[in-house]
Amino acid sequence: MPTDQVIETPHGNAPGLWNCPDNATASYVLAHGAGAGMRHSFMTSIAERLASRGVATLRYEFLYMAAGGKRIDREPVLFDTIRSAIAHAAQLAPSLPLIAGGKSMGGRMTSRAAAASPIEAQGIAFLGFPLHPPKRVSSDRAAHLHDVALPMLFLQGTRDDLADLPSMRTVMDALASRDGMPAARMHVVEGADHGFHVLKRSGRNDDEVLDELADQVSAFCSGMNA
């Protein structure tokens, strides 16, 4: 069962949920998306599946979400919260390799923080990188990724209206060409939208997709132990 956490940040306390199985081999500091907090069904389900695969998670909420607001915190506040959550997870399990990232905006802000100055993580895993607004295809939001000196895993659905797949492939090709920088890899989730939902006619269900995501994150974490 996850335990409640209080994460001290320079701007106030942020709530968190720590889920650490007895057989944990890595931890994932997991940020939520722009419109739903750490207790959203997606966040809960992915944390539970990761626990069953030996990956501890620290879910946490940005301060605007914890206060019940809809206006996202300014980037400096988001960055400080991300760094504080990472530090908190490192204190909870100092012997475990640690990756960071999260769902949509939470993942993108983690990489933006890492591009601004190094974060104390060994990799970043994105659960749906939001490359552009709906129907406004662009790669501008990926520009900072060239400055992220960490291995990165992108989990992207084929029906994601916030990440045109051909554009994501172009981004990945550009990241692969970075001299002297760690690898970036994309795993494509067939039939999934930005929330990782699939249509019934796809022959798959959301539980199967969640298992696929957890398998990919777990494998990425295992690479931190190699």
Side-chain angles (χ1 to χ4, degrees):
M1 291 293 292
T3 58
D4 291 325
Q5 302 292 310
V6 176
I7 300 166
E8 296 181 0
T9 87
H11 312 280
N13 291 340
L17 288 170
W18 174 241
N19 191 349
C20 186
D22 292 339
N23 64 339
T25 58
S27 61
Y28 183 22
V29 181
L30 179 56
H32 60 77
M38 66 182 181
R39 297 181 188 275
H40 185 268
S41 59
F42 174 86
M43 299 288 287
T44 299
S45 295
I46 196 66
E48 290 173 348
R49 282 168 167 80
L50 286 169
S52 73
R53 290 160 173 79
V55 178
T57 53
L58 177 63
R59 286 176 276 163
Y60 65 99
E61 287 193 339
F62 293 111
L63 299 180
Y64 79 93
M65 181 64 66
K70 295 183 178 180
R71 186 172 180 176
I72 297 172
D73 299 322
R74 295 177 297 109
E75 278 198 356
V77 177
L78 296 173
F79 292 177
D80 284 343
T81 306
I82 289 164
R83 295 180 191 282
S84 297
I86 291 171
H88 190 90
Q91 289 180 344
L92 288 169
S95 65
L96 295 182
L98 183 152
I99 68 167
K103 182 72 181 77
S104 193
M105 181 275 292
R108 184 168 78 94
M109 287 300 110
T110 301
S111 59
R112 285 190 61 80
S117 62
I119 59 173
E120 296 301 318
Q122 292 176 254
I124 300 177
F126 302 91
L127 305 178
F129 184 85
L131 185 61
H132 53 74
K135 299 181 180 179
R136 291 167 54 190
V137 176
S138 168
S139 297
D140 292 348
R141 289 182 178 177
H144 72 279
L145 295 172
H146 292 270
D147 298 320
V148 177
L150 292 170
M152 291 181 283
L153 172 67
F154 296 80
L155 302 177
Q156 304 292 145
T158 57
R159 294 192 304 114
D160 190 339
D161 61 358
L162 272 66
D164 171 70
L165 200 53
S167 298
M168 280 299 305
R169 294 192 192 280
T170 300
V171 168
M172 298 308 300
D173 288 344
L175 291 175
S177 69
R178 302 181 301 169
D179 289 336
M181 296 292 269
R185 182 174 70 85
M186 179 170 69
H187 176 82
V188 175
V189 183
E190 189 64 37
D193 63 13
H194 189 64
F196 293 102
H197 300 298
V198 290
L199 301 173
K200 288 184 179 179
R201 66 171 180 264
S202 71
R204 309 181 71 199
N205 59 48
D206 289 356
D207 284 338
E208 291 170 331
V209 169
L210 286 163
D211 284 334
E212 182 177 348
L213 297 177
D215 286 342
Q216 290 295 318
V217 173
S218 176
F220 183 62
C221 289
S222 294
M224 303 297 111
N225 288 313

